Amino acid sequence: MERIAVIDFETTGITPSSSCRATEIAVVILEQGRIVDRYQSLMNAGVRVPAFIEQLTGISNAMLRSAPPAEKVMNEVNEFVGITPLLAHNAAFDQKFWDFELGRIKRTRLQNFACSLLLARRLMPSAPNHKLGTLNTFAGLPHTGQAHRAMADAEMAANLTAHLATQLRQQHGLRELSHDLLCSLQKVPAAKINEHLKRHRGF
């Protein structure tokens, strides 16, 4: 599988705005099913972390006071990612914050997002649910650290993506896996996934 950048944000809320910002970002580079590089940083956007978010993530206002400015972090992570295709678990959420924070430094996303949540719904229908932690436990994947911290969640999503890629090769006979294929699969209704994969194999 081609090189993919798997990202995860921790934030102060659900929808990015002047009062709802990112507090942490992590990116892991997945290549041939292995993590080959990492980036992680807290980011100070000058907004207060609500108490319930601090309880969920463990990221406190005190921690963010000494964190680098959000603009500096986004410039660094944008350089780190470059034009590598992107993936996140529940990508609709991370994409919103990636685009918003990039926009604040006058940058525009050039690549698409694949979503390991949507892919897992189609390829792991027997999982109890499709939360990231549940899927990793269900698939017997390694524990990566504290949930709701960006690096642990990014590594979990990367491990899950590698597992899904192996499943596509072993169970569905696909030899070549691309980011474009993942993006197309996540749009296919679950009931038609086998038919779609057969067409992809040329059967």
Side-chain angles (χ1 to χ4, degrees):
M1 186 168 61
E2 68 183 302
R3 185 178 175 94
I4 293 176
V6 182
I7 78 167
D8 185 81
F9 277 104
E10 300 304 326
T11 70
T12 62
I14 295 174
T15 302
S17 68
S18 59
S19 59
C20 179
R21 299 286 301 280
T23 57
E24 185 179 39
I25 187 172
V27 181
V28 296
I29 303 298
L30 189 64
E31 203 168 81
Q32 302 301 322
R34 294 183 179 182
I35 295 172
V36 298
D37 207 354
R38 294 171 171 83
Y39 176 96
Q40 180 275 331
S41 182
L42 291 169
M43 47 200 295
N44 184 351
V47 298
R48 185 160 185 81
V49 180
F52 75 96
I53 294 290
E54 181 176 340
Q55 187 173 12
L56 177 69
T57 65
I59 298 172
S60 67
N61 288 291
M63 290 166 65
L64 293 183
R65 276 196 288 273
S66 58
E71 292 78 8
K72 179 178 186 292
V73 173
M74 288 306 299
N75 271 300
E76 288 179 356
V77 75
N78 188 49
E79 289 296 316
F80 178 77
V81 169
I83 58 171
T84 305
L86 293 163
L87 179 143
H89 196 76
N90 190 17
F93 173 85
D94 294 279
Q95 180 179 317
K96 285 189 300 186
F97 279 91
W98 181 260
D99 290 348
F100 181 83
E101 296 293 347
L102 274 188
R104 291 183 65 87
I105 60 167
K106 305 296 189 288
R107 300 286 191 274
T108 303
R109 174 170 53 90
L110 301 175
Q111 61 273 67
N112 292 325
F113 264 88
C115 180
S116 55
L117 170 62
L118 295 179
L119 289 165
R121 283 178 176 166
R122 286 148 178 80
L123 299 173
M124 299 173 67
S126 58
N129 62 59
H130 293 91
K131 295 178 181 178
L132 185 55
T134 302
L135 290 166
N136 273 258
T137 300
F138 182 75
L141 300 173
H143 178 68
T144 59
Q146 180 184 341
H148 302 297
R149 287 302 302 267
M151 181 54 74
D153 286 355
E155 289 188 353
M156 272 201 290
N159 290 337
L160 175 62
T161 301
H163 173 78
L164 294 172
T166 298
Q167 190 173 328
L168 284 167
R169 284 193 296 270
Q170 293 181 352
Q171 297 183 17
H172 297 279
L174 298 185
R175 295 182 181 178
E176 297 296 327
L177 296 175
S178 67
H179 185 266
D180 284 346
L181 172 62
L182 299 183
C183 288
S184 71
L185 283 179
Q186 68 193 30
K187 298 174 183 175
V188 177
K192 296 185 177 181
I193 200 76
N194 287 329
E195 178 186 338
H196 182 85
L197 287 169
K198 284 181 180 180
R199 285 203 304 273
H200 186 81
R201 291 196 304 264
F203 293 169

